[in-house]
Amino acid sequence: MKLKDDKKIVQIFQAALKLVAKKGLSGVTMGDISREAGIATGTLYVYFKGKDELINALFAACRENSVQVSFKGYNPQLPFKPGFKNIWLNILRYKLQHFEEVIFMEQCYHSPFITAGTREKAQQLSAPFYALMERGQKEQLIKQTDTGLLLIFMLGAMNELVKQTHYSGITLNRSRINSTFDLCWDALKA
Amino acid sequence: MKLKDDKKIVQIFQAALKLVAKKGLSGVTMGDISREAGIATGTLYVYFKGKDELINALFAACRENSVQVSFKGYNPQLPFKPGFKNIWLNILRYKLQHFEEVIFMEQCYHSPFITAGTREKAQQLSAPFYALMERGQKEQLIKQTDTGLLLIFMLGAMNELVKQTHYSGITLNRSRINSTFDLCWDALKA
DNA sequence: ATTGAAAATGAATATTTATTCGCTTATCTT
DNA sequence: AAGATAAGCGAATAAATATTCATTTTCAAT
C-alpha cells in the first residue's frame, strides 16, 4: 500500500497558486495545473475529487496558514503597540512572501468554486484579529470606531500595498515599510 | 440601414458586470451574458469580436468612468482638505453605487483577458490622483511619503471597505462614512 | 410601399476543458 | 519474493463553452 504523498499536495497547490497569480482563476485549467506540478492530469483526481474540491482545499489551507503566521511571536503580556506592530509586520511579510496566495484568495472570493461552508470557516478564523482591536480600544490606544471598520481599513491598505508593490516594482525597504506602518498607526490611534 | 444600438452595449455591459460580481470572471459564459442582457448569443458578436474584446472594452469603460466621476466638483482654487474630502467622497460613493465594477476590475487584473495595452491606458488615467497628493504635500498638509504609497493606502482601504460593506451587511451611514474619512485623513496628514 | 443593408437570431459547429478508465508502476505486508 | 493494494499515468470520453453562419427581422432611404 503506497500512501498519498503530502509533498505532492504541496506541489499541486504551488502549481495552482503560481498559475492563478499569473493568469487568473479563469485562465487556469486542470491540465495547466498538472503540467506545472509535473504530474499526470489523472493524478490530480487521485488527490481531489475535482476542480472544485482542489480550489476549496487550497483556499482553506491558505487562510489557515496566514492566520496562524500572523500571531507568531505575539505575547499579550507585552505592551500593545509593539505587539500590534509585530502582528502587522507578520501579516505584511506573509503577504509579500506569498503574493500568489493574496491573488488567489482575492480571485476566489467571487468565484463559483468556493462554497458557503468554506467561506464561513475562513470568516471564523478572523476572531483573533477582532480581539486584538478590542484590546487596543480597552487600553484607549486606538479609536473607538467599529472594530470591523478598523480591521478592514488596515488589511485593505496592506493588501493593496502588496499588490501594487508587485506591479510597479517599488521595493519595500525597511524605511518604506516603517512609513507605511506609521500611516496605519496614525489612522488607528486614538 | 439599422444602426448598432448604444443602449444595447450598455445592456451587455451591465449584464456582464452583474454576473461577474455574482459568480466571478471564471463563472461567466457568453451564453450567460447574452441571456442576462436579453439578446441572442450571436448578437454579442455583432458588438464585439469575442469575449476578449468585450472584457477589455468593459474594463476600459469602467476605468474611464470612475476617474471622471472622482473629480466632479473639485475646484483647485479652494482649500486642500475640503477638496480632498470631496474627491474621497466621490470615489467612495462611486464604488458603493457601482459595486459590481469594483469586483469586475479586481477580477480582471489577473485575468488573461486584459491586454497590456488596456492595462497601460488604465494606469495613465491615475495622473490626476498623483497630482492631488503632490499638492497636499506642497502645502505641508500631508506626509512627505512617496505619493504612490499614500494613494495605495487610501484607495486600498476604500476598496476593502466597499467590499466588506457588501458582504457583512454593514450599512455605511453618514457617521460611519465620516469615521472612515477620519481614519484616512489621520493616516495621510502631516 | 419597396428595397437594400445592417442587426438580430439561435441552432449547428468548433474548440476547449473537465473527468474517467484501463492499464502500468511503485510500495507495503506477509 | 510474491501478492495485494494504491498511486500514477495519459489517451479517450464527456461536458461545457466560444464562435460561426444561414436565415429572418428591422428600419432608413428611396
Side-chain angles (χ1 to χ4, degrees), chain B residues 117-147:
Chain B
T118 303
R119 225 175 286 269
E120 184 98 7
K121 273 181 202 153
Q123 177 54 33
Q124 285 166 5
L125 292 173
S126 299
F129 294 107
Y130 284 92
L132 177 69
M133 288 302 183
E134 278 155 22
R135 178 189 162 190
Q137 289 181 328
K138 219 169 262 162
E139 299 183 18
Q140 310 276 347
L141 293 170
I142 67 174
K143 291 189 172 80
Q144 300 296 327
T145 309
D146 179 284
T147 50

Side-chain angles (χ1 to χ4, degrees), chain A residues 20 30 33 36 42 51 55 65 73 87-88 108 175 178:
Chain A
V20 171
M30 293 296 264
I33 295 173
E36 178 73 30
K51 197 177 182 181
I55 302 283
N65 201 27
I87 290 170
W88 188 91
C108 277
S175 125
N178 283 325

